[in-house]
Amino acid sequence: MAEEFTVTPWEVTGDIDYDLLQQRFGTTPIDDALLARLSGYGELHPMLRRGIFYSHRDMGALLDDYDKGKRFWLYTGRGPSGRTHLGHLMPWIFNKWVQDTFGADMLFQMTDDEKFLFKDLTLHDTASFAYENALDFAALGFDPEKTRILVDTKNVNLLYPIALKVSKKVTFSTAKAVFGFDNSTNIGQIFFTTMQAAPAFLPTEINGEETPVLIPCGIDQDPHFRVCRDVAPGLGYPKPRMMYCKMFPGLSGADKMSSSDENATIYTTDTPKQVKKKVGRAFTGGKVSVEEQRREGGNPEVCAVFKYCFYMFEGDDRRIEEMAARCRAGEVLCGECKQCLTEKINAFLEKHQARREEAREVVGQMAMNGFEW
Amino acid sequence: MAEEFTVTPWEVTGDIDYDLLQQRFGTTPIDDALLARLSGYGELHPMLRRGIFYSHRDMGALLDDYDKGKRFWLYTGRGPSGRTHLGHLMPWIFNKWVQDTFGADMLFQMTDDEKFLFKDLTLHDTASFAYENALDFAALGFDPEKTRILVDTKNVNLLYPIALKVSKKVTFSTAKAVFGFDNSTNIGQIFFTTMQAAPAFLPTEINGEETPVLIPCGIDQDPHFRVCRDVAPGLGYPKPRMMYCKMFPGLSGADKMSSSDENATIYTTDTPKQVKKKVGRAFTGGKVSVEEQRREGGNPEVCAVFKYCFYMFEGDDRRIEEMAARCRAGEVLCGECKQCLTEKINAFLEKHQARREEAREVVGQMAMNGFEW
């Protein structure tokens, strides 16, 4: 059973075994030694302490360089295929922590081309989602002086020459093996990975000297960056360094929050009433009766409500442990936890939605080379 | 034997049977009826009268539209992989005639991305060749108000959104069948045809209404435009209309002048001395002795010197017939013809080289959206 899951940049299904996935992809665990080293730069983010960002490539080299005074850039992104949900925010919040901790310049790529090629969307659709998603990104408080948003179709003049260099090093054989393409794949999809590789090399082009990037993102993106890392040395670019997180869970108990399940997905623009309703229906694995729950306790490991607190909405480790312990002991009922999470999410969204409005000015400032949204 | 030739956008080898090629590609002969119709718009260009532009797609539809007042744009191009030779000029000269005759706006695409992907060249090399080639193009006297030069890496912001739409409609299967790609083809090469398709649809995007293009070019480019025409209706664009010419011959007697054979190739920047030397070595098929030549006559069909006059350097039909007749009758020796061609080419190049210098200003004006060369 453990093998029965799929994780690619375009499909995440099944019960993900994250350790096995790490083995399959060949990434390295973020272990205690690395955590100890990272804690030397600032208080560890909860997503590190809790193993949500759990895997990496070349973080040792990144920190060695940093310690010698070599700056790195941050790079992460978003495929604008719909409204922003909480799962999208999770790695961005972590990126913000890295920017604050290391003072890093940041590139945020919006792959509107990808979503046009892989989904039943027009370029008009993806442009509109890109703007909406960018508001959520900017609302998280990235430094506008140090942060630039790239939209692929608007910044293609910067990205295309790099993408060409990458593409000259990647055969169809490789693309087939890495992404599972076949003869029915369209030729835009086949080319696309080169556009996702390009921002990893852009800081070196901009600075005129070798400038490594750190890419904190979902582990589902590793296939792209394996290709990107493979071609880097041959092109005279540093390999990007990676930090990978697990997928943000769905309210239904699925391993990944997905826009295709609207009721199990909380969008950043949801009203308090919508949040209440959605959290109210969340999967908790709770027992069939109050008596049984009191007697046997619940199971936080399977509970979406607990996972939400663990991943994003309860930063205090002691409280999270207490929450789990009280659940297992039958001291708390699912309704209470749902009520508590609803309040936390709504408090978060109230602030976020206000900042999101203010971000309309900021995204103009962040537009790479001043493109028009 | 007749089947033993290859014509693709990247390879032209063997003795080309142009009628057979037309059958293979499924294009339509430019017949007497079409020539008669075309002569109603202005004196037929020698390349039409002599069957050098010999095949087409949808010229009837183009002229029907034109007669109803619907304007078309011209589109042709150049892959900047080296210096310009006479063979490159040939279809451009014909394009100039079409622009003058029909008052058409013109797009000239320089596929620096293609040459980077398919040759052992850097983007720096292709940029420099693009500029040099553009000077030759502009030197031919295209109307600077009606002519725009696109360089793919510099105008990719205009081309990429259209290329994406094309790419979504083309599978790897199709690309394999049309271009002969396989698993070892790089993913930039696989994508490239979409960039060559894009300018065919750009006039419709620019004008906001269906605007057909006419693409006069070498018949080796037909594979690209078959794909382009196939996807057009599904994207709401008019199919490009095509006029195809034969390949300009090499001085060695080969069917196509090629930069890989430097001695059989006359570049636009050659000196009179170089031209004299190269023409002096041209293949004529002349007899081994003066006596034999006088007695048996020569064979203009195989003679590179005659072909040069026929293709480009003798516009007067009576004189060209006379030249062939005198050769066959043994009235003229190869040395005389070589001398005559050398003078014609040098007279042409003297003017061309002067205009080429003046074109340094014009190519700035023609740069699409004012890109910096």
Side-chain angles (χ1 to χ4, degrees):
Chain A
M1 287 295 284
E3 289 276 351
E4 285 178 21
F5 61 91
T6 303
V7 176
T8 79
W10 305 289
E11 190 189 11
V12 177
T13 54
D15 267 344
I16 306 169
D17 179 332
Y18 281 106
D19 289 333
L20 186 58
L21 187 61
Q22 188 172 233
Q23 281 177 38
R24 276 192 203 166
F25 283 176
T27 60
T28 308
I30 295 179
D31 60 11
D32 289 346
L34 179 54
L35 289 176
R37 183 169 183 187
L38 281 167
S39 70
Y41 302 92
E43 199 198 332
L44 285 185
H45 194 276
M47 292 181 202
L48 280 170
R49 297 199 307 264
R50 296 178 188 176
I52 296 166
F53 269 86
Y54 84 111
S55 198
H56 78 101
R57 291 182 186 272
D58 283 348
M59 278 303 289
L62 183 95
L63 295 174
D64 290 348
D65 281 346
Y66 185 80
D67 290 347
K68 286 182 209 138
K70 190 167 186 174
R71 310 305 290 251
F72 64 88
W73 284 42
L74 276 164
Y75 157 37
T76 198
R78 156 83 179 134
S81 58
R83 287 179 288 158
T84 315
H85 61 56
L86 296 178
H88 302 131
L89 296 188
M90 189 182 74
W92 304 349
I93 289 169
F94 184 76
N95 274 271
K96 166 79 165 62
W97 175 81
V98 183
Q99 179 171 73
D100 292 347
T101 303
F102 292 88
D105 286 299
M106 160 132 212
L107 294 175
F108 186 70
Q109 179 187 37
M110 313 204 73
T111 55
D112 57 341
D113 47 357
E114 176 195 19
K115 293 306 171 183
F116 169 76
L117 292 166
F118 284 86
K119 301 247 179 191
D120 188 18
L121 294 171
T122 66
L123 286 171
H124 188 265
D125 299 332
T126 55
S128 139
F129 288 136
Y131 179 72
E132 293 299 319
N133 297 164
L135 294 178
D136 289 298
F137 170 78
L140 298 177
F142 290 91
D143 181 346
E145 299 294 326
K146 289 180 172 247
T147 305
R148 287 294 168 272
I149 301 174
L150 297 154
V151 174
D152 281 0
T153 60
K154 291 181 191 274
N155 295 110
V156 64
N157 52 334
L158 279 178
L159 300 175
Y160 187 62
I162 304 174
L164 285 174
K165 292 181 199 174
V166 173
S167 74
K168 199 171 176 176
K169 300 273 188 193
V170 182
T171 63
F172 184 63
S173 274
T174 300
K176 267 208 308 196
V178 175
F179 300 108
F181 294 155
D182 59 30
N183 282 344
S184 71
T185 306
N186 77 51
I187 61 178
Q189 293 172 333
I190 295 170
F191 181 71
F192 168 72
T193 192
T194 67
M195 291 292 286
Q196 187 153 328
F201 304 141
L202 191 55
T204 294
E205 293 286 342
I206 290 172
N207 292 339
E209 59 181 66
E210 231 187 61
T211 308
V213 299
L214 169 61
I215 312 178
C217 66
I219 191 161
D220 58 324
Q221 298 300 308
D222 186 61
H224 284 304
F225 296 115
R226 281 205 299 279
V227 173
C228 177
R229 286 170 50 88
D230 280 352
V231 303
L235 296 172
Y237 296 123
K239 287 186 180 191
R241 290 76 164 93
M242 312 299 308
M243 289 183 94
Y244 289 128
C245 66
K246 299 172 181 170
M247 305 290 109
F248 191 71
L251 282 171
S252 62
D255 264 357
K256 186 190 174 193
M257 179 171 268
S258 162
S259 302
S260 56
D261 186 0
E262 286 242 351
N263 291 325
T265 302
I266 294 171
Y267 297 101
T268 58
T269 49
D270 277 354
T271 61
K273 220 172 137 183
Q274 287 173 308
V275 171
K276 191 177 175 188
K277 199 167 156 189
K278 290 176 184 178
V279 174
R281 288 174 181 164
F283 175 81
T284 61
K287 300 300 185 305
V288 288
S289 68
V290 172
E291 291 69 32
E292 203 180 321
Q293 179 92 0
R294 292 277 183 215
R295 194 172 62 235
E296 301 186 6
N299 181 2
E301 271 70 45
V302 304
C303 172
V305 173
F306 178 78
K307 283 183 191 167
Y308 271 55
C309 292
F310 184 83
Y311 272 74
M312 239 173 103
F313 290 100
E314 181 47 74
D316 184 322
D317 292 344
R318 205 169 328 170
R319 282 204 208 155
I320 213 73
E321 277 169 35
E322 202 176 280
M323 190 178 165
R326 291 188 65 215
C327 171
R328 286 193 196 95
E331 286 170 25
V332 64
L333 296 179
C334 297
E336 294 168 56
C337 282
K338 284 177 173 175
Q339 171 69 20
C340 172
L341 177 62
T342 301
E343 281 164 19
K344 282 174 194 283
I345 293 178
N346 280 335
F348 172 84
L349 286 185
E350 191 185 342
K351 272 192 204 154
H352 181 81
Q353 286 165 5
R355 289 191 190 130
R356 197 176 181 278
E357 284 312 303
E358 291 159 23
R360 290 182 195 274
E361 302 233 336
V362 184
V363 293
Q365 199 183 334
M366 287 182 178
M368 187 77 178
N369 286 0
F371 70 76
E372 291 283 322
W373 281 97
Chain B
M1 286 296 285
E3 289 277 351
E4 285 179 22
F5 61 93
T6 304
V7 177
T8 78
W10 304 291
E11 190 189 10
V12 176
T13 54
D15 265 346
I16 308 169
D17 179 333
Y18 281 105
D19 288 333
L20 186 57
L21 187 61
Q22 186 170 236
Q23 280 176 40
R24 277 193 202 165
F25 284 175
T27 60
T28 308
I30 296 180
D31 59 12
D32 288 346
L34 179 53
L35 289 176
R37 184 168 182 189
L38 281 167
S39 69
Y41 302 93
E43 199 199 332
L44 284 185
H45 194 276
M47 292 182 202
L48 280 170
R49 297 199 306 265
R50 297 178 187 176
I52 296 167
F53 268 86
Y54 83 113
S55 196
H56 77 100
R57 291 182 185 274
D58 283 348
M59 279 303 290
L62 182 96
L63 295 174
D64 290 348
D65 282 346
Y66 185 80
D67 290 347
K68 286 181 209 140
K70 190 168 187 173
R71 309 307 288 253
F72 63 89
W73 285 42
L74 275 164
Y75 158 37
T76 199
R78 155 85 180 133
S81 58
R83 288 180 287 158
T84 315
H85 60 56
L86 296 178
H88 302 132
L89 296 187
M90 188 182 72
W92 304 349
I93 289 169
F94 184 75
N95 273 271
K96 167 80 165 61
W97 175 81
V98 183
Q99 179 172 72
D100 293 346
T101 304
F102 293 89
D105 286 298
M106 160 130 211
L107 294 175
F108 185 70
Q109 179 187 36
M110 312 203 74
T111 55
D112 58 341
D113 47 357
E114 176 195 19
K115 293 306 172 183
F116 170 76
L117 291 166
F118 284 86
K119 300 249 179 189
D120 187 17
L121 294 171
T122 66
L123 286 172
H124 188 266
D125 298 333
T126 55
S128 137
F129 288 136
Y131 179 72
E132 293 299 317
N133 296 164
L135 294 179
D136 289 299
F137 170 78
L140 297 177
F142 290 91
D143 181 346
E145 299 293 326
K146 289 181 171 243
T147 305
R148 288 293 168 271
I149 301 173
L150 297 155
V151 174
D152 282 0
T153 60
K154 291 180 191 274
N155 295 109
V156 63
N157 53 334
L158 279 177
L159 301 175
Y160 188 61
I162 304 174
L164 285 174
K165 291 181 200 174
V166 172
S167 74
K168 200 171 176 175
K169 299 273 187 195
V170 181
T171 63
F172 184 63
S173 274
T174 300
K176 267 208 307 195
V178 175
F179 299 108
F181 294 155
D182 60 30
N183 283 342
S184 71
T185 306
N186 78 50
I187 62 178
Q189 292 173 333
I190 295 169
F191 181 71
F192 169 72
T193 193
T194 67
M195 291 291 288
Q196 187 153 329
F201 304 142
L202 192 55
T204 295
E205 293 286 342
I206 290 173
N207 292 340
E209 60 182 64
E210 230 186 61
T211 308
V213 299
L214 170 61
I215 312 179
C217 65
I219 192 161
D220 58 326
Q221 299 300 309
D222 185 61
H224 284 304
F225 296 115
R226 283 206 298 279
V227 172
C228 177
R229 285 170 50 89
D230 280 351
V231 303
L235 296 172
Y237 296 123
K239 287 187 180 191
R241 290 76 164 94
M242 311 300 307
M243 288 182 96
Y244 289 128
C245 65
K246 300 174 182 172
M247 305 292 107
F248 191 72
L251 282 171
S252 63
D255 264 356
K256 187 191 174 194
M257 180 172 268
S258 162
S259 301
S260 55
D261 186 0
E262 285 241 350
N263 291 325
T265 302
I266 294 171
Y267 297 101
T268 58
T269 50
D270 277 353
T271 62
K273 217 172 139 185
Q274 287 173 309
V275 171
K276 189 175 176 191
K277 198 168 157 190
K278 289 177 184 178
V279 175
R281 289 174 180 165
F283 175 82
T284 60
K287 299 301 186 299
V288 288
S289 68
V290 172
E291 293 67 33
E292 202 180 322
Q293 181 92 0
R294 292 276 182 218
R295 195 174 61 235
E296 301 186 6
N299 182 3
E301 271 71 44
V302 304
C303 171
V305 173
F306 178 78
K307 283 184 191 168
Y308 272 54
C309 293
F310 185 82
Y311 272 73
M312 238 174 102
F313 291 99
E314 179 50 72
D316 184 322
D317 291 344
R318 206 169 326 169
R319 281 206 208 152
I320 208 79
E321 277 168 37
E322 204 176 278
M323 189 178 165
R326 291 189 64 218
C327 172
R328 286 193 196 96
E331 287 169 24
V332 64
L333 295 178
C334 297
E336 294 168 57
C337 283
K338 284 177 176 175
Q339 171 71 18
C340 172
L341 178 63
T342 301
E343 281 163 20
K344 282 175 194 281
I345 294 179
N346 281 335
F348 172 84
L349 286 185
E350 190 186 344
K351 272 193 205 156
H352 182 81
Q353 286 165 5
R355 289 191 190 127
R356 198 177 180 278
E357 284 311 302
E358 291 159 22
R360 291 182 194 273
E361 301 233 336
V362 184
V363 293
Q365 198 184 335
M366 287 183 178
M368 187 77 176
N369 287 359
F371 69 77
E372 291 284 320
W373 281 96

